[in-house]
């Protein structure tokens, strides 16, 4: 059976975007005119996912509202004859079955994933982090699912990063067994440049077997006093094979201010209604 469920952790405090995230979830910050988390859910749906679990925290109810039906808004759009906008908002609420679980304390990504145990059951499941948007011809998660269908075990989404940036990511140590696919030997969470085993970074997309839950229950807090998913995966690789798939596509780090601005500019360029105005505007700024 292929992967049909995804877990999206969205309980973080978004401190890197304060004060914008003081009362608004970082996952609802827009890329042009669409919330970041909607891009993630759309990628999941386009990859064949049928059920979505979003792990939320305090002050995240607007995420639920965004994907819920809004009868008042739909009536207003219908009565105003705004059929295109009506279809747009209806598509959001009809996109996929979405469930929610609250992470009551910020105990880390590993702890957030542990809350999905009942949702996942005995099936392998995907994990998608909201800080990473990937622009690709084949949806990033679909590339990982195709790899899972071949190897039938946990798959990590990876890409090479600059060695100066390895301290920002979980880094794999592995052997490339075919183009873009590595058999993972070990993982290190945010290593120093001089201590890193490679520059192949885990970048916000995973497929994980349900064996991870027993490991997470026993995983002690690691860096930052949080339960790290990378630590649990490091234990899982001792018990079963884990592969890493170097996915194709351009990744935007939405958790970084420059990455966020970069995504907004480049996604605006994809829009014909914005591109014509944007090009002379940017040329004018550069010329000053």
């Amino acid at each position: 059976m292929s992967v049909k469920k995804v877990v999206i952790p969205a309980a973080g405090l978004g401190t890197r975007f304060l004060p914008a995230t003081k009362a608004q979830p970082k996952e609802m910050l827009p890329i042009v005119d669409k919330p970041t988390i909607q891009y993630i859910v759309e990628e999941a749906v386009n990859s064949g996912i049928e059920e979505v679990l979003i792990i939320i925290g305090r002050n995240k109810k607007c995420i639920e509202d965004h994907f819920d039906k809004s009868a008042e808004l739909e009536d207003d759009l219908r009565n105003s004859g705004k059929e295109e906008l009506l279809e747009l908002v209806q598509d959001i609420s009809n996109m996929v079955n979405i469930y929610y679980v609250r992470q009551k304390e910020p105990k880390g990504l590993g702890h957030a994933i542990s809350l999905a145990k009942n949702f996942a059951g005995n099936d392998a499941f995907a994990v998608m982090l909201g800080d990473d948007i990937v622009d690709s011809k084949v949806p990033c998660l679909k590339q990982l699912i195709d790899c899972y269908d071949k190897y039938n075990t946990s798959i990590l989404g990876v890409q090479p990063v600059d060695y100066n940036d390895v301290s920002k990511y979980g880094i794999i140590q592995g052997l490339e067994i075919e183009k873009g696919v590595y058999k993972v030997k070990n993982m290190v969470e945010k290593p120093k440049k001089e201590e890193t085993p490679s520059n192949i970074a885990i970048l916000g997309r995973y497929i994980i077997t349900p064996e991870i839950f027993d490991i997470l229950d026993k995983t002690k807090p690691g860096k930052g006093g949080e339960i790290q998913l990378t630590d649990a995966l490091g234990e899982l690789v001792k018990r079963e094979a884990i592969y890493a798939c170097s996915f194709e596509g351009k990744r935007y780090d939405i958790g970084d201010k420059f990455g966020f601005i970069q995504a907004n500019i480049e996604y605006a360029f994809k829009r014909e209604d914005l591109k014509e105005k944007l090009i002379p505007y940017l040329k004018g700024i550069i010329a000053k």
Side-chain angles (χ1 to χ4, degrees), residues 216-278:
L216 284 169
D217 287 342
K218 300 170 186 175
T219 301
K220 296 180 180 180
K223 285 198 173 183
E226 298 181 339
I227 297 174
Q228 299 289 347
L229 179 60
T230 304
D231 292 342
L233 290 169
E235 180 61 31
L236 182 63
V237 78
K238 298 175 184 178
R239 305 185 186 186
E240 63 181 41
I242 294 180
Y243 293 88
C245 171
S246 185
F247 57 84
E248 295 181 359
K250 183 166 184 178
R251 167 190 167 263
Y252 299 91
D253 182 2
I254 306 302
D256 173 77
K257 291 184 178 71
F258 177 74
F260 178 75
I261 294 169
Q262 184 183 29
N264 267 283
I265 293 172
E266 295 190 22
Y267 272 80
F269 267 110
K270 296 174 181 291
R271 295 267 298 264
E272 292 301 323
D273 60 326
L274 296 174
K275 183 177 180 180
E276 291 185 4
K277 296 179 181 178
L278 189 57

Side-chain angles (χ1 to χ4, degrees), residues 18-282:
L18 285 170
T21 51
K22 182 175 181 289
Q24 175 181 238
K26 65 176 182 177
E27 296 82 7
M28 291 300 293
L29 294 175
I31 305 299
V32 186
D33 56 3
K34 186 188 298 183
T36 301
I37 196 167
Q38 187 174 330
Y39 285 93
I40 306 300
V41 173
E42 287 176 346
E43 180 189 323
V45 172
N46 292 333
S47 300
I49 294 295
E50 296 176 356
E51 295 183 281
V52 175
L53 177 68
I54 301 179
I55 311 295
I56 59 172
R58 291 184 69 251
N59 299 325
K60 302 273 186 167
K61 190 177 183 301
C62 62
I63 295 176
E64 298 182 54
D65 292 340
H66 179 72
F67 291 106
D68 198 2
K69 185 177 178 65
S70 177
E72 183 178 323
L73 175 60
E74 289 182 20
D75 286 344
D76 182 71
L77 294 173
R78 189 178 293 108
N79 295 334
S80 302
K82 298 177 180 178
E83 295 299 327
E84 288 188 10
L85 289 177
L86 175 61
E87 183 178 350
L88 180 68
V89 299
Q90 288 176 332
D91 286 346
I92 294 171
S93 58
N94 295 330
M95 196 182 308
V96 69
N97 292 324
I98 301 181
Y99 310 93
Y100 301 89
V101 169
R102 175 174 285 200
Q103 185 183 27
K104 296 178 182 179
E105 299 177 72
K107 292 184 177 180
L109 177 59
H111 177 260
I113 299 304
S114 73
L115 300 177
K117 185 174 183 177
N118 290 336
F119 171 76
N122 296 320
D123 300 325
F125 62 99
V127 174
M128 303 176 72
L129 305 188
D131 283 348
D132 296 281
I133 288 179
V134 181
D135 183 23
S136 57
K137 292 181 179 179
V138 177
C140 177
L141 184 60
K142 179 64 167 62
Q143 296 177 49
L144 268 64
I145 291 174
D146 289 344
C147 193
Y148 170 82
D149 290 341
K150 182 175 182 179
Y151 292 99
N152 199 34
T153 192
S154 296
I155 307 292
L156 312 178
V158 299
Q159 281 188 337
V161 298
D162 191 286
Y163 274 96
N164 292 319
D165 293 330
V166 293
S167 61
K168 300 177 182 178
Y169 305 103
I171 301 294
I172 70 163
Q173 177 186 5
L175 176 67
E176 190 170 21
I177 58 171
E178 63 175 283
K179 186 176 180 181
V181 177
Y182 302 82
K183 186 170 184 180
V184 178
K185 294 182 177 180
N186 195 15
M187 285 153 281
V188 183
E189 179 68 19
K190 299 179 179 179
K192 295 179 180 178
K193 178 182 177 180
E194 57 272 16
E195 297 174 355
T196 187
S198 75
N199 68 328
I200 307 299
I202 306 169
L203 297 176
R205 300 290 185 275
Y206 312 75
I207 294 173
I208 309 176
T209 58
E211 285 73 17
I212 195 69
F213 294 114
D214 288 338
I215 296 172
L216 284 169
D217 287 342
K218 300 170 186 175
T219 301
K220 296 180 180 180
K223 285 198 173 183
E226 298 181 339
I227 297 174
Q228 299 289 347
L229 179 60
T230 304
D231 292 342
L233 290 169
E235 180 61 31
L236 182 63
V237 78
K238 298 175 184 178
R239 305 185 186 186
E240 63 181 41
I242 294 180
Y243 293 88
C245 171
S246 185
F247 57 84
E248 295 181 359
K250 183 166 184 178
R251 167 190 167 263
Y252 299 91
D253 182 2
I254 306 302
D256 173 77
K257 291 184 178 71
F258 177 74
F260 178 75
I261 294 169
Q262 184 183 29
N264 267 283
I265 293 172
E266 295 190 22
Y267 272 80
F269 267 110
K270 296 174 181 291
R271 295 267 298 264
E272 292 301 323
D273 60 326
L274 296 174
K275 183 177 180 180
E276 291 185 4
K277 296 179 181 178
L278 189 57
I279 291 175
Y281 171 73
L282 291 176

